[in-house]
Amino acid sequence: MNNLNYFRIFSERKLNCILLSFYLSFIIICQIIVNNNFDRFYVGSGSWMIISFLFSPIIIHFFSRLEIDDTRLFQQKSGRKVSLILYGVPLTVLLIYFVAYYPGGFTQDSIEQYGQAIGSQPFNDWHPVLQTLFAFWLPLAITGGCTASVSLFQVLVFSAALGYCFQTIYQYAGKNYVLGSMIYILCNPLLCISVIPWKDVSFAVGALLLMVFSVKILMSGGNWLNSFSHFVFFVAVFVFTTIFRHNAILFTAPLLLALFFQIPGKKFLTVLLAIIALFFAVKGPLYSTLQVESPGRRQVETLGLPMTVIGAAVRYTPYALDEDILEFAYKIAPREIWERHYRSGDFNAVKLRPESDTDIIEEYGAKSVLTMMFRCIKSSPGVCLSSLVKLTEGVYTVTDPHPVNIGPYIEKNGYGIEHSSTVYGIEKSSVGILSFCFLGVRVFVQVFFPQIFMFYGVADLIVIISILSRCRLNKLKDLKKILFALPLLAYNFGSSLLLTSNGDCTRFFYYTVLILPLILVIFYKREEVPE
């Protein structure tokens, strides 16, 4: 790219280049903070801001020239053989995980939901009851109480959703792009959480289906919803996904805004009323019938970020804090617990200790905790900002991964759930070679390509670059397209402010891996052709 083109690109997309340079600078500055390089903060951040500013036009120029162009673009049908591959491959991969980790992974949350499903515990909306009914009670009821059916049911639903996704990508982006998408999703080491019946996985499947529906609605000019079955399925999945996670509204609300500009007025109003009616039917009559208990201690969960910041100051610079802040912290846990267990960016390390009393947070309330957080930042800006970045950087870091436990396990429980050496009477060793080979692929990807497959910050950066490269911010048509990326960005950056541990990033944001290829179809498709 010669000098003339460089300045022409900057002149034509000045705002886009500036916004990209600011975001790149933000990533680098956060890395400086987390590494505690405050002695070089101003020189380092200033230098990187200049470099980001100079390279932004080049990045935008490169990505603006990319497009999805395939000979099979916008074909109507994929054919039986192709459909068999697109649905069969993800099913095979997920069944390998199911066999390898039979009868699945059951964390503490999963054990509690299992207990609610079999009636040994009352329903409590701390874990969304609708997800408990769908992911636990339903398969257990169908199979007469077979524990493994919980993970198997999730695997079957997950693989069907992936097949539907791959079929849609093949239809609109062709065989080359769908092959890359399949490798990206199915070879991802994080896919093993598909056998853990978490609300995070149920939300990921729901978000994936909603994004597939959105692509179909966009490509068809809203006509996809004219089918009654499509209408019912969309409304049901939208409501279920919204309820499956308490913060899922950060994803579904922006998505509804994007669809507002794609669905004709009367049809959109019908969709909206149906969503509202079903939502309140679940939250009202259904939950009342099941006598669902309301979750308590919500402030403990929502105040994870300020508690993480306060914890950093208490752990590393207690001498700089006022007595009332130390008194508050030591009421939650003794001083030796903070000193021995607290890690920067991880309040869970203290919160989950048996010696800790998190009810103290509820007693003080959000206003007092937030006030103490700002006082801690004022007293100890270095350690506090470093802890803040370590907690939230999972959605924007492009260098260092967060602690990731990608091996499903079974929490100790009183229900007799444990790993087995047989799968429905068949020795696991009979599939050991296949599982070992697949494990080798996972390890290879995790070691050599972690940024591509496991860093959510890289995925978010690709989306932001795509927005600024493929869209002009002064054109209404492009602004409508940008709205389809808003659900991912709003959920990821919004939810990062609700974390209590950087280790939660793995499951919180796993859905990003699933919907990224669909978002890129929206931005890089060669042209809009009606379905």
Side-chain angles (χ1 to χ4, degrees), residues 37-283:
N37 293 330
F38 291 100
D39 54 331
R40 297 185 300 167
F41 178 79
Y42 294 107
V43 175
S45 58
S47 300
W48 280 111
M49 286 185 69
I50 295 173
I51 294 173
S52 300
F53 184 79
L54 293 175
F55 275 90
S56 292
I58 299 175
I59 296 172
I60 287 178
H61 174 73
F62 174 78
F63 278 86
S64 66
R65 295 173 63 86
L66 299 178
E67 64 178 16
I68 296 173
D69 187 5
D70 191 273
T71 55
R72 293 180 180 270
L73 196 64
F74 301 113
Q75 60 183 335
Q76 292 298 313
K77 297 180 180 180
S78 56
R80 290 184 180 181
K81 291 183 179 180
V82 174
S83 294
L84 182 61
I85 294 173
L86 298 178
Y87 281 89
V89 171
L91 175 61
T92 301
V93 172
L94 266 64
L95 285 176
I96 291 174
Y97 276 118
F98 174 70
V99 170
Y101 294 107
Y102 182 87
F106 287 80
T107 65
Q108 184 60 43
D109 288 351
S110 304
I111 295 297
E112 292 176 2
Q113 289 182 276
Y114 180 87
Q116 294 178 26
I118 64 175
S120 66
Q121 299 180 30
F123 285 111
N124 189 299
D125 206 32
W126 180 271
H127 306 296
V129 172
L130 185 62
Q131 193 263 340
T132 302
L133 294 174
F134 179 78
F136 290 83
W137 179 85
L138 181 59
L140 289 171
I142 293 174
T143 61
C146 176
T147 301
S149 67
V150 176
S151 294
L152 179 59
F153 178 73
Q154 179 168 275
V155 162
L156 295 177
V157 173
F158 200 161
S159 65
L162 285 174
Y164 188 46
C165 168
F166 294 147
Q167 188 178 51
T168 302
I169 292 175
Y170 181 81
Q171 179 182 358
Y172 295 115
K175 61 181 180 181
N176 294 331
Y177 187 78
V178 77
L179 178 61
S181 300
M182 293 176 74
I183 293 174
Y184 174 67
I185 292 175
L186 299 180
C187 292
N188 197 300
L190 304 177
L191 183 63
C192 65
I193 72 171
S194 60
V195 299
I196 305 175
W198 265 334
K199 58 188 175 184
D200 308 272
V201 180
S202 296
F203 167 76
V205 173
L208 172 63
L209 288 174
L210 287 179
M211 191 54 65
V212 173
F213 299 158
S214 299
V215 169
K216 288 183 172 292
I217 291 170
L218 175 65
M219 299 298 183
S220 66
N223 293 327
W224 184 81
L225 280 174
N226 290 340
S227 167
F228 180 73
S229 60
H230 292 169
F231 174 85
V232 171
F233 202 32
F234 175 83
V235 171
V237 173
F238 189 95
V239 173
F240 276 43
T241 305
T242 303
I243 297 177
F244 278 169
R245 277 202 64 90
H246 294 303
N247 60 326
I249 192 69
L250 293 173
F251 179 88
T252 55
L255 183 63
L256 198 61
L257 175 63
L259 294 175
F260 171 77
F261 294 98
Q262 306 298 330
I263 303 173
K266 290 184 179 180
K267 175 65 70 174
F268 180 83
L269 181 60
T270 305
V271 170
L272 181 61
L273 292 176
I275 288 173
I276 294 173
L278 181 57
F279 180 87
F280 283 104
V282 171
K283 287 288 191 176

Side-chain angles (χ1 to χ4, degrees), residues 506-520:
T506 304
R507 58 188 181 93
F508 262 52
F509 307 115
Y510 171 69
Y511 83 103
T512 303
V513 173
L514 306 180
I515 71 171
L516 177 62
L518 290 162
I519 292 178
L520 298 184

Side-chain angles (χ1 to χ4, degrees), residues 307-377:
M307 286 306 306
T308 301
V309 173
I310 292 173
V314 171
R315 166 65 179 86
Y316 299 110
T317 58
Y319 53 84
L321 303 181
D322 295 331
E323 285 297 323
D324 61 321
I325 297 178
L326 293 175
E327 180 184 0
F328 165 70
Y330 296 150
K331 281 183 180 179
I332 297 174
R335 179 172 182 170
E336 56 269 21
I337 296 298
W338 288 99
E339 293 178 349
R340 188 181 306 165
H341 297 285
Y342 178 85
R343 299 186 302 271
S344 184
D346 186 6
F347 174 58
N348 275 357
V350 171
K351 187 185 78 172
L352 300 180
R353 297 291 305 174
E355 304 93 336
S356 299
D357 181 10
T358 52
D359 288 336
I360 300 299
I361 300 174
E362 299 288 331
E363 294 177 10
Y364 273 72
K367 183 178 180 180
S368 297
V369 173
L370 289 171
T371 300
M372 284 187 281
M373 178 191 72
F374 288 115
R375 288 167 59 194
C376 286
I377 294 175

